[in-house]
Amino acid sequence: MTLSTKQRQALKAAAHHLRPVVIIGQKGITESLTRETDAALTAHELIKVQMQQGERDERQQCAETLATATHATLVQQIGKTFVLYRQKPGN
């Protein structure tokens, strides 16, 4: 899903107050983590995900991989935290 600049800005503003609901640990992206992220996106549409470790390139790759695996859009990444968005079906 491609977001316009205004849509992306609105989602960033909406995500500002959110706390991370998914935390990526030492094992990285696993099947169970992907299922958990998928369930969180289904319930909330917009979520924050936090990585516990990793270098900048590794964090960027994990964010893109998780977004692809859950059919979500990567809205923003700041440090170890990134925001994913997936519109609920029927909206």
Side-chain angles (χ1 to χ4, degrees), residues 24-25 28-29 49-67 74 76-84:
I24 301 173
I29 298 176
V49 180
Q50 184 175 14
M51 289 193 67
Q52 294 297 316
Q53 57 192 10
E55 298 297 320
R56 177 181 288 192
D57 293 337
E58 182 184 350
R59 292 191 307 256
Q60 178 66 31
Q61 183 63 37
C62 281
E64 291 172 1
T65 301
L66 192 57
L74 179 61
Q76 174 183 33
Q77 181 177 1
I78 298 176
K80 294 181 179 182
T81 304
F82 56 94
V83 178
L84 295 177

